[in-house]
């Protein structure tokens, strides 16, 4: 199993909207590196759901339920979507400042590639962020 992080502005598609939708398509990614990460996602992989914008925090955990397929919102046919199912919210959000404050997370993609909307997360980073979030 691999681990990932996806970002969404809560005003656009919040954790609550995602959780209410249940199993939904993760569409709208228009970055080639993020697309490569989506293509690497496998059914059953775990995903941190991150609120960007003002909140800047990991707020929940989802699971990949459908691997990459053509993004129905992309007229060019160049990009892909995956499906994610909301599992559970973190007991407490883990902010970007929390992540930056922990030296063990200094190499996390969230810090190094801050604008990337789909990112890999190592197993060690996953464990640490889950612990920080009360899981």
């Amino acid at each position: 199993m691999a681990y990932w992080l996806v970002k969404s502005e809560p005003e656009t598609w919040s954790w609550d909207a995602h959780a209410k939708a249940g199993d939904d398509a993760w569409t709208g990614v228009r970055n080639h590196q993020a697309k490569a990460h989506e293509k690497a996602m496998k059914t059953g992989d775990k995903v941190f759901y991150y609120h960007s914008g003002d909140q800047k925090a990991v707020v929940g955990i989802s699971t990949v339920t459908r691997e990459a397929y053509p993004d129905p919102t992309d007229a060019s046919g160049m990009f892909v979507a995956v499906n994610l199912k909301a599992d559970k919210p973190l007991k407490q959000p883990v902010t970007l400042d929390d992540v930056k404050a922990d030296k063990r997370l200094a190499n996390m993609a969230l810090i190094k590639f801050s604008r990337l909307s789909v990112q890999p997360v190592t197993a060690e980073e996953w464990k640490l962020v889950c612990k920080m979030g009360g899981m």
Side-chain angles (χ1 to χ4, degrees), residues 75-131:
S76 75
M78 292 177 26
F79 294 96
V80 299
V82 296
N83 280 26
L84 302 177
K85 181 178 187 289
D87 290 341
K88 56 191 163 207
L90 295 184
K91 291 180 181 175
Q92 66 180 47
V94 177
T95 68
L96 180 58
D97 287 341
D98 294 335
V99 171
K100 287 180 175 180
D102 192 319
K103 292 185 185 338
R104 298 171 295 177
L105 297 171
N107 291 317
M108 192 169 180
L110 184 59
I111 296 169
K112 292 188 161 242
F113 306 103
S114 63
R115 297 197 42 87
L116 193 59
S117 62
V118 180
Q119 309 173 354
V121 175
T122 69
E124 185 61 28
E125 292 165 349
W126 184 268
K127 289 177 196 171
L128 289 167
V129 173
C130 281
K131 185 175 181 180

Side-chain angles (χ1 to χ4, degrees), residues 16-124:
D16 290 340
H18 174 56
K20 184 176 180 181
D23 188 344
D24 58 331
W26 191 258
T27 61
V29 172
R30 298 296 184 265
N31 173 285
H32 291 287
Q33 184 61 51
K35 174 181 79 172
H37 293 316
E38 280 185 307
K39 285 184 167 187
M41 291 176 157
K42 301 295 179 203
T43 301
D45 284 356
K46 294 295 184 183
V47 181
F48 283 137
Y49 199 95
Y50 181 89
H51 277 171
S52 56
D54 291 338
Q55 190 174 3
K56 294 182 179 67
V58 177
V59 295
I61 296 174
S62 296
T63 300
V64 176
T65 58
R66 183 176 175 193
E67 295 176 15
Y69 59 94
D71 184 336
T73 68
D74 174 31
S76 75
M78 292 177 26
F79 294 96
V80 299
V82 296
N83 280 26
L84 302 177
K85 181 178 187 289
D87 290 341
K88 56 191 163 207
L90 295 184
K91 291 180 181 175
Q92 66 180 47
V94 177
T95 68
L96 180 58
D97 287 341
D98 294 335
V99 171
K100 287 180 175 180
D102 192 319
K103 292 185 185 338
R104 298 171 295 177
L105 297 171
N107 291 317
M108 192 169 180
L110 184 59
I111 296 169
K112 292 188 161 242
F113 306 103
S114 63
R115 297 197 42 87
L116 193 59
S117 62
V118 180
Q119 309 173 354
V121 175
T122 69
E124 185 61 28

